[in-house]
Amino acid sequence: MADLNTEIKTIIDAWGIKVVENAQKVLRDTIPPYKGGQDSALAGSVNFKVSASPYGYKFALWMNDYWINIEDGRGKNKTAPPTEPIEQFIRLRGLKLTPPKTLKGKRKTLSYDRKIKSLAYVIARSIGKKGIEPRPFQSKLMTQELKDELTTSLFSVLKKEFILSIKE
């Protein structure tokens, strides 16, 4: 029989994959895909890690840090958020940017970096004024079915180990 710790870690790892898949599904349902059908970066960033210690096992689920803004939203009429994450988002998406028109109808000549900074500023200002509607998803990540599956799997392994220990 395999080492008990190895079996437990294997069970938690397999369970973690299912938790990540469920989290990605929940996020896809919460955050609609982009026009090209591409998932949100948040759904793609979900991952987990299992670590063992003398006191037990730790399961950590993580995703991009802006999840809190999706979960809780952001109130109206607050200071604008920092523009750096918005600039990173624009660069990541590879958006084609057209500079704004002047009063005479001509387009300003701006570098690509300046266009990004300008667009990020406008987006941040709009978020500050209008806020962001919350789209709660966290309560849907851990279903009772997933909890029961982990409990059942661990119980069967621990039951076998307990019975073997009694027989010895």
Side-chain angles (χ1 to χ4, degrees):
M1 183 171 186
D3 175 52
L4 178 62
N5 287 328
T6 305
E7 281 193 62
I8 291 173
K9 184 159 181 347
T10 301
I11 288 170
I12 297 173
D13 281 337
W15 180 77
I17 291 168
K18 291 179 182 179
V19 169
V20 167
E21 289 170 351
N22 184 59
Q24 289 172 334
K25 180 189 176 304
V26 166
L27 286 167
R28 285 183 194 111
D29 293 345
T30 303
I31 306 168
Y34 297 109
K35 289 180 182 176
Q38 183 179 5
D39 283 339
S40 76
L42 189 59
S45 73
V46 179
N47 211 335
F48 76 96
K49 182 178 181 179
V50 178
S51 53
S53 75
Y55 306 106
Y57 293 87
K58 180 179 178 181
F59 178 84
L61 183 70
W62 74 86
M63 60 190 77
N64 287 343
D65 59 357
Y66 64 88
W67 71 269
I68 193 83
N69 295 323
I70 305 288
E71 177 72 19
D72 296 338
R74 196 170 197 289
K76 295 179 182 180
N77 299 319
K78 297 195 174 189
T79 58
T83 59
E84 290 80 16
I86 299 170
E87 290 174 26
Q88 288 174 355
F89 172 81
I90 295 168
R91 282 188 176 87
L92 181 69
R93 307 299 309 136
L95 300 177
K96 293 181 181 180
L97 305 174
T98 308
K101 291 184 179 179
T102 62
L103 292 174
K104 295 179 182 177
K106 295 182 180 178
R107 298 221 179 262
K108 293 181 182 179
T109 305
L110 300 172
S111 69
Y112 185 69
D113 282 343
R114 186 70 189 128
K115 291 176 193 175
I116 289 174
K117 286 184 182 298
S118 296
L119 180 59
Y121 173 79
V122 171
I123 292 170
R125 187 179 64 189
S126 176
I127 291 171
K129 284 182 183 178
K130 297 177 185 176
I132 298 175
E133 285 293 318
R135 293 181 274 176
F137 64 89
Q138 195 175 19
S139 62
K140 301 172 195 168
L141 295 183
M142 194 61 59
T143 64
Q144 190 60 45
E145 182 181 317
L146 284 169
K147 293 175 191 175
D148 291 345
E149 182 180 332
L150 178 63
T151 304
T152 304
S153 298
L154 289 174
F155 180 75
S156 69
V157 169
L158 294 173
K159 179 180 165 184
K160 287 180 204 172
E161 184 67 23
F162 184 71
I163 291 171
L164 288 174
S165 295
I166 290 176
K167 289 181 179 179
E168 291 176 357

Coordinates of all heavy atoms in Angstrom, one line a residue, residues 64-129:
N64 N -5.8 36.2 -10.1 CA -5.3 37.6 -10.2 C -6.0 38.4 -9.1 O -7.1 38.2 -8.7 CB -5.7 38.1 -11.6 CG -4.8 37.6 -12.7 OD1 -3.8 37.0 -12.4 ND2 -5.3 37.7 -13.9
D65 N -5.2 39.4 -8.6 CA -5.6 40.1 -7.4 C -6.8 41.1 -7.7 O -7.4 41.5 -6.7 CB -4.5 40.9 -6.9 CG -3.8 41.9 -7.9 OD1 -4.3 41.9 -9.0 OD2 -2.9 42.6 -7.4
Y66 N -7.3 41.3 -8.9 CA -8.4 42.1 -9.1 C -9.8 41.4 -8.9 O -10.8 42.0 -9.1 CB -8.4 42.8 -10.4 CG -8.5 41.9 -11.6 CD1 -9.7 41.6 -12.1 CD2 -7.4 41.4 -12.2 CE1 -9.8 40.7 -13.2 CE2 -7.4 40.6 -13.3 CZ -8.7 40.3 -13.8 OH -8.8 39.4 -14.9
W67 N -9.7 40.1 -8.4 CA -10.9 39.4 -8.2 C -11.8 40.1 -7.2 O -13.0 40.0 -7.3 CB -10.6 37.9 -7.7 CG -10.0 37.9 -6.3 CD1 -8.7 38.0 -5.9 CD2 -10.8 37.9 -5.1 NE1 -8.6 37.9 -4.5 CE2 -9.9 37.9 -4.0 CE3 -12.2 37.8 -4.8 CZ2 -10.3 37.8 -2.7 CZ3 -12.5 37.7 -3.4 CH2 -11.6 37.8 -2.4
I68 N -11.2 40.8 -6.3 CA -12.0 41.5 -5.2 C -12.9 42.6 -5.9 O -14.0 42.8 -5.4 CB -11.1 42.1 -4.1 CG1 -11.9 42.5 -2.9 CG2 -10.2 43.2 -4.6 CD1 -12.2 41.4 -2.0
N69 N -12.4 43.2 -6.9 CA -13.2 44.2 -7.6 C -14.4 43.6 -8.4 O -15.4 44.3 -8.5 CB -12.3 45.0 -8.6 CG -11.3 45.8 -7.8 OD1 -11.5 46.4 -6.7 ND2 -10.1 45.9 -8.4
I70 N -14.2 42.4 -8.8 CA -15.3 41.7 -9.5 C -16.3 41.3 -8.4 O -17.5 41.5 -8.6 CB -14.8 40.4 -10.3 CG1 -13.7 40.8 -11.3 CG2 -16.0 39.7 -10.9 CD1 -14.2 41.5 -12.5
E71 N -15.8 40.7 -7.3 CA -16.7 40.2 -6.3 C -17.5 41.3 -5.6 O -18.7 41.2 -5.5 CB -15.8 39.5 -5.2 CG -16.6 39.0 -4.0 CD -17.4 37.7 -4.3 OE1 -17.2 37.1 -5.4 OE2 -18.4 37.5 -3.5
D72 N -16.8 42.4 -5.2 CA -17.4 43.4 -4.4 C -17.8 44.6 -5.1 O -18.6 45.5 -4.6 CB -16.5 43.9 -3.2 CG -16.2 42.7 -2.2 OD1 -17.0 41.8 -2.2 OD2 -15.2 42.8 -1.5
G73 N -17.3 44.8 -6.4 CA -17.6 46.0 -7.1 C -16.8 47.2 -6.6 O -15.9 47.0 -5.8
R74 N -17.2 48.3 -7.0 CA -16.5 49.6 -6.5 C -17.6 50.7 -6.5 O -18.3 50.8 -7.5 CB -15.4 49.9 -7.5 CG -14.4 50.9 -7.0 CD -13.2 51.0 -7.9 NE -12.1 51.6 -7.4 CZ -11.9 52.9 -7.1 NH1 -12.9 53.7 -7.3 NH2 -10.8 53.3 -6.6
G75 N -17.6 51.4 -5.4 CA -18.6 52.4 -5.3 C -18.5 53.6 -6.3 O -17.4 53.8 -6.8
K76 N -19.6 54.3 -6.4 CA -19.6 55.5 -7.3 C -18.9 56.7 -6.6 O -18.9 56.7 -5.4 CB -21.0 55.9 -7.7 CG -21.7 54.8 -8.5 CD -23.1 55.3 -8.8 CE -23.9 54.2 -9.6 NZ -25.2 54.6 -9.9
N77 N -18.5 57.6 -7.4 CA -18.0 58.9 -6.9 C -16.8 58.7 -5.9 O -16.8 59.4 -4.9 CB -19.1 59.8 -6.3 CG -20.1 60.1 -7.4 OD1 -19.8 60.4 -8.5 ND2 -21.4 60.0 -7.0
K78 N -15.9 57.9 -6.2 CA -14.7 57.7 -5.4 C -13.5 58.1 -6.3 O -13.6 58.4 -7.5 CB -14.6 56.2 -5.0 CG -15.8 55.8 -4.1 CD -15.4 54.5 -3.4 CE -16.6 54.3 -2.4 NZ -16.3 53.2 -1.6
T79 N -12.4 58.1 -5.6 CA -11.2 58.5 -6.4 C -10.9 57.4 -7.4 O -11.3 56.2 -7.2 CB -9.9 58.6 -5.5 OG1 -9.8 57.4 -4.8 CG2 -10.1 59.7 -4.5
A80 N -10.3 57.8 -8.5 CA -10.1 56.9 -9.6 C -9.1 55.8 -9.2 O -8.2 56.1 -8.4 CB -9.5 57.6 -10.8
P81 N -9.2 54.6 -9.7 CA -8.2 53.6 -9.3 C -6.9 53.9 -10.0 O -6.8 54.7 -10.9 CB -8.8 52.3 -9.9 CG -9.7 52.7 -10.9 CD -10.2 54.1 -10.5
P82 N -5.8 53.3 -9.6 CA -4.5 53.5 -10.3 C -4.6 53.1 -11.8 O -5.3 52.1 -12.1 CB -3.5 52.6 -9.5 CG -4.3 51.7 -8.6 CD -5.7 52.3 -8.5
T83 N -3.8 53.8 -12.6 CA -3.9 53.5 -14.0 C -3.0 52.4 -14.5 O -3.2 51.8 -15.6 CB -3.6 54.8 -14.8 OG1 -2.3 55.2 -14.5 CG2 -4.6 55.9 -14.6
E84 N -2.0 52.1 -13.7 CA -1.0 51.1 -14.1 C -1.6 49.7 -14.5 O -1.3 49.1 -15.5 CB 0.1 50.9 -13.1 CG 1.1 52.0 -12.9 CD 0.5 53.2 -12.1 OE1 -0.5 52.9 -11.3 OE2 1.0 54.3 -12.2
P85 N -2.5 49.1 -13.6 CA -3.1 47.9 -14.0 C -4.0 48.0 -15.3 O -4.0 47.0 -16.1 CB -4.0 47.5 -12.8 CG -3.5 48.3 -11.7 CD -2.9 49.5 -12.3
I86 N -4.6 49.1 -15.5 CA -5.4 49.3 -16.7 C -4.5 49.4 -17.9 O -4.8 48.8 -18.9 CB -6.3 50.6 -16.5 CG1 -7.2 50.4 -15.4 CG2 -7.0 50.9 -17.8 CD1 -8.0 51.6 -15.0
E87 N -3.3 50.1 -17.7 CA -2.4 50.1 -18.8 C -1.9 48.7 -19.2 O -1.8 48.4 -20.4 CB -1.2 51.0 -18.4 CG -1.5 52.5 -18.4 CD -0.3 53.3 -17.8 OE1 0.8 52.9 -18.0 OE2 -0.6 54.4 -17.3
Q88 N -1.6 47.9 -18.2 CA -1.1 46.5 -18.4 C -2.2 45.8 -19.2 O -1.9 45.0 -20.1 CB -0.8 45.8 -17.1 CG 0.4 46.3 -16.4 CD 0.6 45.7 -15.1 OE1 -0.2 44.9 -14.6 NE2 1.7 46.0 -14.4
F89 N -3.5 46.0 -18.8 CA -4.6 45.3 -19.4 C -4.6 45.7 -20.9 O -4.8 44.8 -21.8 CB -5.9 45.6 -18.7 CG -7.1 45.1 -19.5 CD1 -7.6 43.8 -19.3 CD2 -7.9 46.0 -20.3 CE1 -8.7 43.4 -20.0 CE2 -9.0 45.5 -21.0 CZ -9.4 44.2 -20.8
I90 N -4.5 47.0 -21.2 CA -4.6 47.5 -22.6 C -3.4 46.8 -23.4 O -3.6 46.4 -24.5 CB -4.5 49.0 -22.6 CG1 -5.8 49.6 -22.0 CG2 -4.4 49.5 -24.1 CD1 -5.7 51.1 -21.7
R91 N -2.2 46.8 -22.8 CA -1.1 46.2 -23.5 C -1.3 44.7 -23.8 O -1.0 44.2 -24.8 CB 0.2 46.5 -22.7 CG 0.7 47.8 -22.9 CD 2.1 48.0 -22.2 NE 2.7 49.3 -22.4 CZ 2.4 50.3 -21.7 NH1 1.7 50.2 -20.6 NH2 3.0 51.5 -21.9
L92 N -1.8 44.1 -22.8 CA -2.0 42.6 -22.8 C -3.0 42.3 -24.0 O -2.9 41.3 -24.7 CB -2.6 42.1 -21.5 CG -2.9 40.6 -21.4 CD1 -1.5 39.8 -21.5 CD2 -3.6 40.3 -20.1
R93 N -4.1 43.1 -24.1 CA -5.1 42.9 -25.1 C -4.6 43.3 -26.5 O -5.2 42.9 -27.5 CB -6.4 43.7 -24.8 CG -7.0 43.5 -23.5 CD -7.5 42.2 -23.0 NE -8.3 41.4 -23.7 CZ -8.2 40.1 -23.9 NH1 -7.2 39.5 -23.4 NH2 -9.1 39.4 -24.5
G94 N -3.5 44.1 -26.6 CA -3.0 44.5 -27.9 C -4.0 45.4 -28.6 O -4.2 45.3 -29.8
L95 N -4.7 46.2 -27.9 CA -5.7 47.1 -28.5 C -5.1 48.1 -29.5 O -4.0 48.6 -29.3 CB -6.5 47.9 -27.4 CG -7.2 47.1 -26.4 CD1 -7.8 48.0 -25.4 CD2 -8.3 46.2 -27.0
K96 N -5.8 48.3 -30.6 CA -5.4 49.3 -31.6 C -6.0 50.6 -31.1 O -7.2 50.7 -31.0 CB -5.8 48.9 -33.0 CG -5.2 47.7 -33.5 CD -5.6 47.4 -34.9 CE -4.9 46.1 -35.4 NZ -5.4 45.8 -36.8
L97 N -5.2 51.6 -30.9 CA -5.7 52.8 -30.4 C -5.6 53.9 -31.4 O -4.6 54.1 -32.1 CB -4.8 53.2 -29.1 CG -4.7 52.1 -28.0 CD1 -3.8 52.6 -27.0 CD2 -6.1 51.9 -27.5
T98 N -6.7 54.7 -31.5 CA -6.8 55.8 -32.4 C -6.8 57.1 -31.5 O -7.6 57.2 -30.5 CB -8.1 55.8 -33.2 OG1 -8.2 54.5 -33.8 CG2 -8.1 56.9 -34.2
P99 N -5.9 58.0 -31.7 CA -5.8 59.2 -30.9 C -7.1 60.0 -31.0 O -7.8 60.0 -32.1 CB -4.6 60.0 -31.4 CG -4.3 59.5 -32.7 CD -4.9 58.1 -32.8
P100 N -7.5 60.8 -30.0 CA -8.7 61.6 -30.1 C -8.5 62.7 -31.1 O -7.4 63.1 -31.4 CB -8.8 62.2 -28.7 CG -7.4 62.1 -28.1 CD -6.7 60.9 -28.8
K101 N -9.6 63.2 -31.6 CA -9.6 64.3 -32.6 C -9.5 65.7 -31.8 O -9.9 65.8 -30.7 CB -10.9 64.4 -33.4 CG -11.0 63.2 -34.4 CD -12.2 63.3 -35.2 CE -12.3 62.2 -36.2 NZ -13.5 62.3 -37.1
T102 N -8.8 66.6 -32.5 CA -8.7 68.0 -31.9 C -10.0 68.7 -32.2 O -10.9 68.2 -32.9 CB -7.5 68.7 -32.5 OG1 -7.7 68.8 -33.9 CG2 -6.2 68.0 -32.2
L103 N -10.1 69.9 -31.8 CA -11.3 70.7 -32.1 C -11.4 71.0 -33.6 O -12.5 71.2 -34.1 CB -11.2 72.1 -31.3 CG -11.4 72.0 -29.8 CD1 -11.1 73.3 -29.2 CD2 -12.7 71.4 -29.4
K104 N -10.3 71.0 -34.3 CA -10.4 71.2 -35.7 C -10.6 69.9 -36.5 O -10.7 69.9 -37.7 CB -9.1 71.8 -36.2 CG -8.8 73.2 -35.6 CD -7.5 73.8 -36.1 CE -7.3 75.1 -35.4 NZ -6.0 75.7 -35.8
G105 N -10.8 68.8 -35.8 CA -11.2 67.5 -36.5 C -10.0 66.7 -36.9 O -10.1 65.6 -37.5
K106 N -8.8 67.2 -36.6 CA -7.6 66.4 -37.0 C -7.2 65.5 -35.8 O -7.5 65.8 -34.6 CB -6.4 67.3 -37.3 CG -6.6 68.1 -38.5 CD -5.5 69.0 -38.8 CE -5.7 69.8 -40.1 NZ -4.6 70.7 -40.4
R107 N -6.5 64.4 -36.1 CA -6.1 63.5 -35.0 C -4.7 64.0 -34.4 O -3.9 64.4 -35.2 CB -5.9 62.1 -35.5 CG -7.3 61.6 -36.0 CD -7.5 60.1 -35.6 NE -8.7 59.6 -36.0 CZ -9.8 59.6 -35.3 NH1 -9.8 60.0 -34.0 NH2 -10.9 59.1 -35.7
K108 N -4.6 63.9 -33.1 CA -3.3 64.2 -32.5 C -2.3 63.1 -32.8 O -2.7 62.0 -33.0 CB -3.5 64.3 -31.0 CG -4.4 65.4 -30.5 CD -4.4 65.4 -29.0 CE -5.4 66.5 -28.5 NZ -5.4 66.5 -27.0
T109 N -1.1 63.5 -32.9 CA 0.0 62.6 -33.1 C 0.6 62.2 -31.7 O 1.2 63.1 -31.1 CB 1.1 63.1 -34.0 OG1 0.5 63.6 -35.2 CG2 2.2 62.1 -34.3
L110 N 0.3 61.0 -31.3 CA 0.8 60.5 -30.0 C 1.5 59.2 -30.1 O 1.2 58.4 -31.0 CB -0.4 60.3 -29.0 CG -1.2 61.5 -28.7 CD1 -2.4 61.1 -27.8 CD2 -0.5 62.6 -27.9
S111 N 2.5 59.0 -29.3 CA 3.2 57.7 -29.3 C 2.2 56.6 -28.7 O 1.2 57.0 -28.1 CB 4.4 57.7 -28.4 OG 4.1 57.9 -27.0
Y112 N 2.5 55.4 -29.0 CA 1.7 54.3 -28.5 C 1.6 54.3 -27.0 O 0.5 54.1 -26.5 CB 2.2 52.9 -29.0 CG 1.3 51.8 -28.7 CD1 0.0 51.7 -29.4 CD2 1.6 50.8 -27.8 CE1 -0.8 50.6 -29.1 CE2 0.8 49.8 -27.5 CZ -0.4 49.7 -28.1 OH -1.3 48.6 -27.8
D113 N 2.7 54.5 -26.3 CA 2.7 54.6 -24.9 C 1.8 55.7 -24.4 O 1.1 55.6 -23.4 CB 4.1 54.8 -24.3 CG 4.9 53.5 -24.3 OD1 4.3 52.4 -24.4 OD2 6.1 53.5 -24.2
R114 N 1.9 56.8 -25.0 CA 1.0 58.0 -24.6 C -0.5 57.7 -24.8 O -1.3 58.1 -24.0 CB 1.5 59.2 -25.4 CG 0.8 60.5 -24.9 CD 1.3 60.9 -23.5 NE 0.5 62.0 -23.0 CZ -0.2 62.0 -21.9 NH1 0.0 61.0 -21.0 NH2 -0.9 63.0 -21.5
K115 N -0.8 57.0 -25.9 CA -2.2 56.6 -26.2 C -2.7 55.7 -25.1 O -3.8 55.8 -24.6 CB -2.3 55.9 -27.6 CG -2.0 56.8 -28.8 CD -2.1 56.0 -30.0 CE -1.6 56.7 -31.2 NZ -1.5 55.9 -32.4
I116 N -1.8 54.8 -24.7 CA -2.2 53.8 -23.6 C -2.5 54.6 -22.3 O -3.5 54.3 -21.7 CB -1.1 52.7 -23.5 CG1 -1.2 51.8 -24.7 CG2 -1.3 52.0 -22.2 CD1 -0.1 50.8 -24.7
K117 N -1.5 55.5 -22.0 CA -1.7 56.2 -20.8 C -3.0 57.1 -20.8 O -3.7 57.2 -19.8 CB -0.5 57.1 -20.5 CG 0.8 56.4 -20.1 CD 1.9 57.3 -19.8 CE 3.1 56.6 -19.4 NZ 3.0 55.8 -18.2
S118 N -3.3 57.7 -21.9 CA -4.5 58.5 -22.0 C -5.7 57.7 -21.9 O -6.6 58.1 -21.2 CB -4.5 59.2 -23.4 OG -3.4 60.1 -23.5
L119 N -5.8 56.5 -22.6 CA -6.9 55.7 -22.5 C -7.1 55.1 -21.1 O -8.2 55.1 -20.5 CB -6.8 54.5 -23.5 CG -8.0 53.5 -23.5 CD1 -9.3 54.3 -23.8 CD2 -7.8 52.4 -24.5
A120 N -6.0 54.7 -20.4 CA -6.1 54.2 -19.1 C -6.6 55.3 -18.1 O -7.4 55.0 -17.2 CB -4.7 53.7 -18.6
Y121 N -6.2 56.5 -18.3 CA -6.6 57.6 -17.5 C -8.1 57.8 -17.6 O -8.8 57.9 -16.6 CB -5.9 58.9 -17.8 CG -6.4 60.1 -17.1 CD1 -6.1 60.3 -15.8 CD2 -7.3 61.0 -17.7 CE1 -6.6 61.4 -15.1 CE2 -7.8 62.0 -17.0 CZ -7.5 62.3 -15.7 OH -8.0 63.3 -15.0
V122 N -8.6 57.8 -18.8 CA -10.0 58.0 -19.1 C -10.8 56.8 -18.5 O -11.9 57.1 -17.8 CB -10.3 58.1 -20.6 CG1 -11.8 58.1 -20.9 CG2 -9.7 59.4 -21.1
I123 N -10.4 55.6 -18.6 CA -11.1 54.4 -18.0 C -11.1 54.5 -16.5 O -12.1 54.3 -15.9 CB -10.4 53.1 -18.5 CG1 -10.7 52.9 -20.0 CG2 -11.0 51.9 -17.7 CD1 -9.9 51.8 -20.6
A124 N -9.9 54.9 -15.9 CA -9.8 55.0 -14.5 C -10.8 56.1 -13.9 O -11.4 55.9 -12.9 CB -8.4 55.3 -14.0
R125 N -10.8 57.2 -14.6 CA -11.7 58.3 -14.2 C -13.1 57.9 -14.3 O -13.9 58.2 -13.4 CB -11.4 59.5 -15.1 CG -12.2 60.8 -14.6 CD -11.9 61.9 -15.5 NE -12.4 61.7 -16.9 CZ -12.1 62.4 -17.9 NH1 -11.4 63.5 -17.8 NH2 -12.6 62.1 -19.1
S126 N -13.5 57.1 -15.3 CA -14.9 56.7 -15.5 C -15.2 55.7 -14.4 O -16.3 55.7 -13.8 CB -15.0 56.0 -16.8 OG -16.3 55.4 -17.0
I127 N -14.3 54.8 -14.0 CA -14.5 53.8 -12.9 C -14.7 54.6 -11.6 O -15.6 54.3 -10.8 CB -13.4 52.8 -12.8 CG1 -13.4 51.9 -14.0 CG2 -13.5 52.1 -11.5 CD1 -12.2 51.0 -14.1
G128 N -13.9 55.7 -11.4 CA -14.1 56.5 -10.2 C -15.4 57.1 -10.1 O -16.0 57.2 -9.1
K129 N -15.9 57.6 -11.3 CA -17.2 58.3 -11.3 C -18.4 57.4 -11.2 O -19.3 57.5 -10.4 CB -17.4 59.2 -12.5 CG -16.6 60.5 -12.5 CD -16.8 61.2 -13.8 CE -16.0 62.5 -13.9 NZ -16.2 63.2 -15.1

